[in-house]
Amino acid sequence: QVQLVESGGGLVQAGGSLRLSCAAAGGTWSNYAMAWFRQAPGKEREFVAAVTWSGGSTSYADSVKGRFTISRANAKNTVYLQMNSLEPEDTAVYYCAASLYYSGTYYTRENEYQYWGQGTQVTVSS
């Protein structure tokens, strides 16, 4: 069983930056491909970014490509989401997720992830 705890959310003006962190406890970190998802008010949860165990391969939603960067520090059992050039449309609760499927690739669908954090709120003001 793995527990995920997100941090780093907050209120920022449009054009600003935030870095989210997701720390994992329990389980075997090397088994997990990781991802970030987000859910805006009144909308379904959507994929944001994913990374393989090594960090060597990543995937991004088109809406964040070029602005967000996912990375991981395996020695710290932590995955990050650096968010730059934030827009009001990025306002959402951001969740990190861990997948028990083969960690040498990344996954972009919710049902491919078995463990979820509690979420951290990101609010971007215009």
Side-chain angles (χ1 to χ4, degrees), residues 14-41:
S17 298
L18 282 175
R19 188 175 82 154
L20 305 183
S21 299
C22 173
T28 304
W29 179 248
S30 62
N31 288 350
Y32 306 126
M34 301 293 295
W36 289 93
F37 288 76
R38 67 185 181 186
Q39 187 168 20

mmCIF file of all heavy atoms in Angstrom, residues 14-41:
data_model
loop_
_atom_site.group_PDB
_atom_site.id
_atom_site.type_symbol
_atom_site.label_atom_id
_atom_site.label_comp_id
_atom_site.label_asym_id
_atom_site.label_seq_id
_atom_site.Cartn_x
_atom_site.Cartn_y
_atom_site.Cartn_z
ATOM 1 N N ALA A 14 -2.131 35.229 -12.686
ATOM 2 C CA ALA A 14 -1.884 34.735 -14.036
ATOM 3 C C ALA A 14 -0.479 35.135 -14.470
ATOM 4 O O ALA A 14 -0.024 36.254 -14.212
ATOM 5 C CB ALA A 14 -2.913 35.298 -15.000
ATOM 6 N N GLY A 15 0.203 34.197 -15.101
ATOM 7 C CA GLY A 15 1.577 34.408 -15.519
ATOM 8 C C GLY A 15 2.597 33.944 -14.503
ATOM 9 O O GLY A 15 3.796 33.871 -14.816
ATOM 10 N N GLY A 16 2.148 33.623 -13.306
ATOM 11 C CA GLY A 16 3.047 33.190 -12.253
ATOM 12 C C GLY A 16 3.369 31.712 -12.326
ATOM 13 O O GLY A 16 2.973 31.007 -13.262
ATOM 14 N N SER A 17 4.094 31.240 -11.305
ATOM 15 C CA SER A 17 4.562 29.853 -11.268
ATOM 16 C C SER A 17 4.285 29.227 -9.905
ATOM 17 O O SER A 17 4.231 29.934 -8.888
ATOM 18 C CB SER A 17 6.062 29.782 -11.540
ATOM 19 O OG SER A 17 6.379 30.274 -12.820
ATOM 20 N N LEU A 18 4.125 27.934 -9.911
ATOM 21 C CA LEU A 18 4.039 27.129 -8.695
ATOM 22 C C LEU A 18 4.737 25.802 -8.958
ATOM 23 O O LEU A 18 4.774 25.340 -10.106
ATOM 24 C CB LEU A 18 2.586 26.846 -8.309
ATOM 25 C CG LEU A 18 1.771 27.945 -7.633
ATOM 26 C CD1 LEU A 18 0.328 27.477 -7.464
ATOM 27 C CD2 LEU A 18 2.367 28.334 -6.295
ATOM 28 N N ARG A 19 5.248 25.191 -7.885
ATOM 29 C CA ARG A 19 5.770 23.841 -7.994
ATOM 30 C C ARG A 19 5.048 22.953 -7.009
ATOM 31 O O ARG A 19 5.084 23.189 -5.799
ATOM 32 C CB ARG A 19 7.274 23.778 -7.729
ATOM 33 C CG ARG A 19 7.837 22.392 -8.047
ATOM 34 C CD ARG A 19 9.333 22.304 -7.906
ATOM 35 N NE ARG A 19 9.754 22.114 -6.526
ATOM 36 C CZ ARG A 19 10.895 21.529 -6.172
ATOM 37 N NH1 ARG A 19 11.720 21.085 -7.102
ATOM 38 N NH2 ARG A 19 11.214 21.405 -4.906
ATOM 39 N N LEU A 20 4.382 21.946 -7.537
ATOM 40 C CA LEU A 20 3.711 20.961 -6.705
ATOM 41 C C LEU A 20 4.661 19.800 -6.417
ATOM 42 O O LEU A 20 5.473 19.426 -7.268
ATOM 43 C CB LEU A 20 2.458 20.434 -7.398
ATOM 44 C CG LEU A 20 1.438 21.471 -7.852
ATOM 45 C CD1 LEU A 20 0.218 20.769 -8.461
ATOM 46 C CD2 LEU A 20 1.037 22.390 -6.730
ATOM 47 N N SER A 21 4.522 19.247 -5.226
ATOM 48 C CA SER A 21 5.290 18.068 -4.842
ATOM 49 C C SER A 21 4.337 16.967 -4.410
ATOM 50 O O SER A 21 3.251 17.239 -3.876
ATOM 51 C CB SER A 21 6.235 18.380 -3.681
ATOM 52 O OG SER A 21 7.165 19.373 -4.029
ATOM 53 N N CYS A 22 4.754 15.739 -4.615
ATOM 54 C CA CYS A 22 3.972 14.584 -4.182
ATOM 55 C C CYS A 22 4.943 13.591 -3.569
ATOM 56 O O CYS A 22 5.789 13.021 -4.277
ATOM 57 C CB CYS A 22 3.240 13.958 -5.348
ATOM 58 S SG CYS A 22 2.393 12.414 -4.956
ATOM 59 N N ALA A 23 4.833 13.411 -2.271
ATOM 60 C CA ALA A 23 5.709 12.491 -1.552
ATOM 61 C C ALA A 23 4.997 11.166 -1.330
ATOM 62 O O ALA A 23 3.830 11.139 -0.946
ATOM 63 C CB ALA A 23 6.120 13.097 -0.216
ATOM 64 N N ALA A 24 5.722 10.081 -1.561
ATOM 65 C CA ALA A 24 5.148 8.748 -1.411
ATOM 66 C C ALA A 24 5.727 8.045 -0.192
ATOM 67 O O ALA A 24 6.927 8.162 0.089
ATOM 68 C CB ALA A 24 5.418 7.921 -2.657
ATOM 69 N N ALA A 25 4.863 7.317 0.502
ATOM 70 C CA ALA A 25 5.291 6.496 1.631
ATOM 71 C C ALA A 25 4.685 5.105 1.477
ATOM 72 O O ALA A 25 3.539 4.968 1.057
ATOM 73 C CB ALA A 25 4.838 7.116 2.940
ATOM 74 N N GLY A 26 5.489 4.089 1.803
ATOM 75 C CA GLY A 26 5.009 2.723 1.662
ATOM 76 C C GLY A 26 5.203 2.214 0.257
ATOM 77 O O GLY A 26 5.464 2.979 -0.661
ATOM 78 N N GLY A 27 5.073 0.933 0.056
ATOM 79 C CA GLY A 27 5.218 0.366 -1.266
ATOM 80 C C GLY A 27 6.663 0.389 -1.728
ATOM 81 O O GLY A 27 7.580 0.710 -0.974
ATOM 82 N N THR A 28 6.860 0.069 -2.982
ATOM 83 C CA THR A 28 8.189 0.064 -3.587
ATOM 84 C C THR A 28 8.200 1.116 -4.682
ATOM 85 O O THR A 28 7.596 0.928 -5.733
ATOM 86 C CB THR A 28 8.526 -1.320 -4.158
ATOM 87 O OG1 THR A 28 8.398 -2.294 -3.122
ATOM 88 C CG2 THR A 28 9.941 -1.333 -4.713
ATOM 89 N N TRP A 29 8.896 2.207 -4.420
ATOM 90 C CA TRP A 29 8.839 3.377 -5.309
ATOM 91 C C TRP A 29 9.191 3.017 -6.753
ATOM 92 O O TRP A 29 8.604 3.534 -7.695
ATOM 93 C CB TRP A 29 9.765 4.445 -4.755
ATOM 94 C CG TRP A 29 9.853 5.701 -5.547
ATOM 95 C CD1 TRP A 29 10.937 6.148 -6.234
ATOM 96 C CD2 TRP A 29 8.821 6.670 -5.736
ATOM 97 N NE1 TRP A 29 10.647 7.354 -6.847
ATOM 98 C CE2 TRP A 29 9.357 7.688 -6.558
ATOM 99 C CE3 TRP A 29 7.490 6.773 -5.303
ATOM 100 C CZ2 TRP A 29 8.619 8.804 -6.939
ATOM 101 C CZ3 TRP A 29 6.769 7.881 -5.686
ATOM 102 C CH2 TRP A 29 7.327 8.876 -6.491
ATOM 103 N N SER A 30 10.148 2.118 -6.922
ATOM 104 C CA SER A 30 10.593 1.803 -8.274
ATOM 105 C C SER A 30 9.535 1.071 -9.088
ATOM 106 O O SER A 30 9.671 0.936 -10.298
ATOM 107 C CB SER A 30 11.872 0.972 -8.234
ATOM 108 O OG SER A 30 11.614 -0.262 -7.568
ATOM 109 N N ASN A 31 8.469 0.639 -8.446
ATOM 110 C CA ASN A 31 7.408 -0.061 -9.172
ATOM 111 C C ASN A 31 6.418 0.884 -9.844
ATOM 112 O O ASN A 31 5.553 0.439 -10.588
ATOM 113 C CB ASN A 31 6.625 -0.967 -8.215
ATOM 114 C CG ASN A 31 7.413 -2.173 -7.785
ATOM 115 O OD1 ASN A 31 8.478 -2.455 -8.333
ATOM 116 N ND2 ASN A 31 6.908 -2.894 -6.798
ATOM 117 N N TYR A 32 6.511 2.158 -9.546
ATOM 118 C CA TYR A 32 5.434 3.059 -9.912
ATOM 119 C C TYR A 32 5.781 4.048 -11.022
ATOM 120 O O TYR A 32 6.724 4.823 -10.894
ATOM 121 C CB TYR A 32 4.985 3.868 -8.693
ATOM 122 C CG TYR A 32 4.606 3.007 -7.510
ATOM 123 C CD1 TYR A 32 5.194 3.220 -6.267
ATOM 124 C CD2 TYR A 32 3.674 1.995 -7.636
ATOM 125 C CE1 TYR A 32 4.859 2.436 -5.180
ATOM 126 C CE2 TYR A 32 3.339 1.205 -6.557
ATOM 127 C CZ TYR A 32 3.932 1.425 -5.335
ATOM 128 O OH TYR A 32 3.597 0.638 -4.263
ATOM 129 N N ALA A 33 4.957 4.022 -12.072
ATOM 130 C CA ALA A 33 4.893 5.171 -12.962
ATOM 131 C C ALA A 33 3.993 6.183 -12.263
ATOM 132 O O ALA A 33 3.084 5.804 -11.526
ATOM 133 C CB ALA A 33 4.299 4.767 -14.308
ATOM 134 N N MET A 34 4.236 7.464 -12.468
ATOM 135 C CA MET A 34 3.524 8.505 -11.731
ATOM 136 C C MET A 34 2.882 9.500 -12.686
ATOM 137 O O MET A 34 3.334 9.655 -13.837
ATOM 138 C CB MET A 34 4.478 9.247 -10.798
ATOM 139 C CG MET A 34 5.163 8.379 -9.764
ATOM 140 S SD MET A 34 4.018 7.724 -8.542
ATOM 141 C CE MET A 34 3.473 9.236 -7.738
ATOM 142 N N ALA A 35 1.871 10.191 -12.175
ATOM 143 C CA ALA A 35 1.201 11.187 -13.010
ATOM 144 C C ALA A 35 0.548 12.244 -12.132
ATOM 145 O O ALA A 35 0.366 12.066 -10.921
ATOM 146 C CB ALA A 35 0.142 10.532 -13.884
ATOM 147 N N TRP A 36 0.203 13.347 -12.785
ATOM 148 C CA TRP A 36 -0.627 14.380 -12.193
ATOM 149 C C TRP A 36 -1.926 14.477 -13.005
ATOM 150 O O TRP A 36 -1.890 14.460 -14.245
ATOM 151 C CB TRP A 36 0.082 15.724 -12.208
ATOM 152 C CG TRP A 36 1.224 15.815 -11.246
ATOM 153 C CD1 TRP A 36 2.541 15.554 -11.495
ATOM 154 C CD2 TRP A 36 1.154 16.211 -9.868
ATOM 155 N NE1 TRP A 36 3.288 15.752 -10.364
ATOM 156 C CE2 TRP A 36 2.469 16.170 -9.355
ATOM 157 C CE3 TRP A 36 0.117 16.607 -9.024
ATOM 158 C CZ2 TRP A 36 2.761 16.491 -8.031
ATOM 159 C CZ3 TRP A 36 0.407 16.934 -7.710
ATOM 160 C CH2 TRP A 36 1.717 16.871 -7.229
ATOM 161 N N PHE A 37 -3.014 14.612 -12.286
ATOM 162 C CA PHE A 37 -4.313 14.884 -12.870
ATOM 163 C C PHE A 37 -4.873 16.133 -12.199
ATOM 164 O O PHE A 37 -4.362 16.567 -11.161
ATOM 165 C CB PHE A 37 -5.283 13.712 -12.632
ATOM 166 C CG PHE A 37 -4.984 12.488 -13.448
ATOM 167 C CD1 PHE A 37 -3.930 11.642 -13.110
ATOM 168 C CD2 PHE A 37 -5.747 12.163 -14.553
ATOM 169 C CE1 PHE A 37 -3.643 10.501 -13.863
ATOM 170 C CE2 PHE A 37 -5.483 11.031 -15.315
ATOM 171 C CZ PHE A 37 -4.431 10.204 -14.962
ATOM 172 N N ARG A 38 -5.924 16.704 -12.770
ATOM 173 C CA ARG A 38 -6.557 17.853 -12.122
ATOM 174 C C ARG A 38 -8.058 17.820 -12.364
ATOM 175 O O ARG A 38 -8.529 17.236 -13.346
ATOM 176 C CB ARG A 38 -5.966 19.160 -12.624
ATOM 177 C CG ARG A 38 -6.264 19.474 -14.083
ATOM 178 C CD ARG A 38 -5.510 20.738 -14.512
ATOM 179 N NE ARG A 38 -5.805 21.082 -15.904
ATOM 180 C CZ ARG A 38 -5.195 22.073 -16.553
ATOM 181 N NH1 ARG A 38 -4.262 22.820 -15.941
ATOM 182 N NH2 ARG A 38 -5.522 22.325 -17.808
ATOM 183 N N GLN A 39 -8.778 18.471 -11.449
ATOM 184 C CA GLN A 39 -10.227 18.548 -11.578
ATOM 185 C C GLN A 39 -10.680 19.960 -11.250
ATOM 186 O O GLN A 39 -10.505 20.425 -10.121
ATOM 187 C CB GLN A 39 -10.927 17.552 -10.661
ATOM 188 C CG GLN A 39 -12.422 17.480 -10.874
ATOM 189 C CD GLN A 39 -13.055 16.292 -10.174
ATOM 190 O OE1 GLN A 39 -12.497 15.714 -9.255
ATOM 191 N NE2 GLN A 39 -14.248 15.903 -10.626
ATOM 192 N N ALA A 40 -11.226 20.622 -12.246
ATOM 193 C CA ALA A 40 -11.762 21.968 -12.070
ATOM 194 C C ALA A 40 -13.212 21.872 -11.616
ATOM 195 O O ALA A 40 -13.873 20.860 -11.841
ATOM 196 C CB ALA A 40 -11.663 22.735 -13.382
ATOM 197 N N PRO A 41 -13.735 22.927 -10.993
ATOM 198 C CA PRO A 41 -15.129 22.908 -10.521
ATOM 199 C C PRO A 41 -16.090 22.607 -11.659
ATOM 200 O O PRO A 41 -16.018 23.212 -12.733
ATOM 201 C CB PRO A 41 -15.326 24.320 -9.981
ATOM 202 C CG PRO A 41 -13.967 24.774 -9.608
ATOM 203 C CD PRO A 41 -13.039 24.161 -10.618
#
